[in-house]
């Protein structure tokens, strides 16, 4: 029986060829790797939030959460549903299949919104319109705060809104959110 060392000595040409092949494959793989500072990733989860003021957690579960879950189970690309019913609020987390491509994701979120719209007619009259939040993968790149000892809050807000309008014209800025007197830039 031949051991590995003996094989390597007898088949030097094969071992040398295999070594060179591994080095070339390694170099190719290294240069083919993504090198973004903030690589893009896709979150295939959304949350449907419905407010039902004055209702107990049990009422929210039976009258809102169960109704929404039943409708959303019709989605073809659905992986699973998770829900949380608290007094006055229902949260249904929608997880799509991992095999779903990023290009098809916006279409699935449109289907989700249509299903939520359809089911809203079956909810109690006091239940407020459901909110679908599907933008979990956005990460802000910069945060600006505006401060002044002399300016009034109204003047600071006007200045922040003007700054927001100007920054929107810069290439590469996807979204700007204004919170009080802070700007969050999404690139």
């Amino acid at each position: 029986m031949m051991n590995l060392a003996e094989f390597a000595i007898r088949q030097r040409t094969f071992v040398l060829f295999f070594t060179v092949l591994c080095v070339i494959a390694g170099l190719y793989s290294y240069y083919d790797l993504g090198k973004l500072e903030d690589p893009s990733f896709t979150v295939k989860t959304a949350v449907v939030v419905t407010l039902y003021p004055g209702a107990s957690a049990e009422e929210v579960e039976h009258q809102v959460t169960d109704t929404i879950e039943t409708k959303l189970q019709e989605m073809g690309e659905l992986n699973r549903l998770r829900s949380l019913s608290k007094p006055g609020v229902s949260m249904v987390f929608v997880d799509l299949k991992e095999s779903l491509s990023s290009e098809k994701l916006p279409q699935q979120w449109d289907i989700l919104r249509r299903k939520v719209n359809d089911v809203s007619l079956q909810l109690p009259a006091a239940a407020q319109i459901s909110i679908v939040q599907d933008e979990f993968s956005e990460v802000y790149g910069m945060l600006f705060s505006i401060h002044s000892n002399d300016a009034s809050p109204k003047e600071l807000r006007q200045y922040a809104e003007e700054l927001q309008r100007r920054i929107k014209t810069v290439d590469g800025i996807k979204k700007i959110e204004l919170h009080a007197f802070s700007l969050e830039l999404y690139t």
Side-chain angles (χ1 to χ4, degrees):
M1 200 171 237
M2 190 183 316
N3 66 21
L4 187 60
E6 187 179 331
F7 175 78
I9 292 171
R10 288 188 180 183
Q11 302 293 331
R12 264 190 314 195
T13 308
F14 174 75
V15 172
L16 185 60
F17 171 75
F18 187 71
T19 304
V20 169
L21 186 67
C22 286
V23 169
I24 291 171
L27 288 171
Y28 177 77
S29 296
Y30 175 77
Y31 288 107
D32 197 41
L33 286 173
K35 295 173 182 73
L36 295 176
E37 182 179 339
D38 296 321
S40 62
F41 59 94
T42 306
V43 177
K44 296 176 182 167
T45 299
V47 64
V48 179
V49 180
T50 308
L51 302 178
Y52 190 11
S56 68
E58 245 178 40
E59 291 172 321
V60 170
E61 176 76 27
H62 295 299
Q63 297 176 15
V64 177
T65 305
D66 290 345
T67 307
I68 292 172
E69 283 182 340
T70 302
K71 185 66 175 179
L72 296 183
Q73 286 172 349
E74 298 172 2
M75 292 182 67
E77 296 295 331
L78 181 68
N79 182 28
R80 70 179 174 148
L81 291 173
R82 298 171 286 137
S83 62
L84 175 65
S85 298
K86 299 191 299 190
V89 67
S90 164
M91 297 174 74
V92 179
F93 295 88
V94 181
D95 297 323
L96 299 179
K97 293 178 181 175
E98 285 299 319
S99 60
L100 183 69
S101 69
S102 298
E103 292 81 32
K104 294 182 180 180
L105 200 58
Q107 180 184 9
Q108 290 303 311
W109 294 147
D110 288 342
I111 291 170
L112 173 66
R113 284 184 174 83
R114 277 186 269 155
K115 297 239 180 249
V116 168
N117 240 3
D118 293 346
V119 80
S120 65
L121 301 173
Q122 300 170 12
L123 299 178
Q128 296 177 4
I129 296 175
S130 301
I131 300 165
V132 178
Q133 173 63 291
D134 62 3
E135 296 180 343
F136 294 114
S137 61
E138 289 184 344
V139 180
Y140 69 88
M142 289 184 223
L143 176 66
F144 293 102
S145 294
I146 300 168
H147 172 75
S148 172
N149 291 330
D150 302 328
S152 69
K154 183 179 178 181
E155 291 172 324
L156 283 175
R157 179 139 192 105
Q158 289 172 343
Y159 181 75
E161 289 170 351
E162 176 61 27
L163 185 59
Q164 180 182 21
R165 278 190 289 277
R166 288 183 183 192
I167 292 176
K168 279 183 183 178
T169 63
V170 175
D171 287 339
I173 303 295
K174 288 183 183 176
K175 184 167 97 175
I176 300 175
E177 290 184 4
L178 180 62
H179 301 283
F181 306 115
S182 297
L183 296 172
E184 290 182 2
L185 302 175
Y186 296 87
T187 56

